[in-house]
């Protein structure tokens, strides 16, 4: 079941520096209450699919690099990023996962255990599309 047309605003926050960046603001479709589909604005226009569950989230971006991320709350995982130069593996630890009607949110760390890590939060803010 597909919901009414919506807009999504995707914001990424660097939790180490506090810097916030709007990745895109565009039309989207939410299916089944837990799947999100949109195409990023900007020159690349990459399609993105997000699926959120109570304990996990999958984020798949199809651009120059194919970046599927499967993040499980409070668990370490490995994301494999496929580029023209080969496949790179990045270790992740998911520290927060929330889903409300108006916002989905995930926070995660990138890096190996015991090493300094980059920490990020991605938020998807929803609102009804204007007619």
């Amino acid at each position: 079941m597909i919901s009414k047309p919506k807009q999504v605003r995707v914001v990424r926050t660097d939790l180490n520096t506090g810097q916030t960046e709007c990745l895109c603001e565009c039309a989207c479709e939410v299916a089944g209450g837990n799947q999100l589909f949109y195409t990023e604005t900007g020159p690349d226009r990459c399609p993105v699919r997000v699926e959120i569950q109570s304990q996990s989230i999958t984020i798949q971006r199809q651009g120059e690099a194919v970046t599927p991320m499967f993040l499980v709350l409070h668990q370490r995982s490995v994301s494999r990023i496929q580029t023209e130069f080969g496949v790179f593996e990045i270790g992740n630890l998911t520290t927060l996962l929330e889903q409300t009607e108006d916002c989905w949110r995930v926070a995660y760390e990138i890096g190996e255990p015991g090493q300094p890590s980059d920490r990020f939060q991605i938020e998807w803010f929803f609102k009804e599309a204007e007619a």
Side-chain angles (χ1 to χ4, degrees):
M1 178 179 155
I2 295 183
S3 66
K4 295 178 183 178
K6 291 187 179 270
Q7 290 283 116
V8 65
R9 182 170 186 258
V10 185
V11 176
R12 179 177 57 202
T13 303
D14 182 323
L15 296 174
N16 289 339
T17 66
Q19 287 187 303
T20 299
E21 173 186 14
C22 180
L23 299 178
C24 78
E25 195 161 350
C26 58
C28 69
E29 291 181 24
V30 178
N34 69 332
Q35 292 185 62
L36 170 64
F37 302 90
Y38 62 93
T39 300
E40 292 177 350
T41 51
D44 295 338
R45 301 204 38 85
C46 298
V48 179
R49 177 184 171 274
V50 180
E51 183 172 353
I52 191 168
Q53 302 292 331
S54 63
Q55 298 293 307
S56 67
I57 188 167
T58 303
I59 306 166
Q60 180 145 355
R61 183 177 183 271
Q62 294 279 76
E64 253 182 57
V66 177
T67 56
M69 291 179 69
F70 179 67
L71 304 170
V72 179
L73 186 59
H74 304 303
Q75 290 186 19
R76 290 207 164 273
S77 61
V78 174
S79 295
R80 289 173 178 80
I81 300 171
Q82 182 178 347
T83 72
E84 62 185 88
F85 304 108
V87 176
F88 298 92
E89 292 185 347
I90 298 175
N92 304 300
L93 173 64
T94 308
T95 57
L96 173 76
L97 185 61
E98 296 177 341
Q99 179 185 21
T100 67
E101 187 175 308
D102 299 327
C103 179
W104 296 358
R105 180 177 293 119
V106 64
Y108 59 95
E109 299 175 2
I110 297 175
E112 297 303 317
Q115 300 293 320
S117 61
D118 293 324
R119 300 178 313 125
F120 296 98
Q121 178 171 283
I122 301 176
E123 297 169 291
W124 295 266
F125 296 100
F126 301 103
K127 66 179 184 178
E128 297 296 321
E130 297 175 11

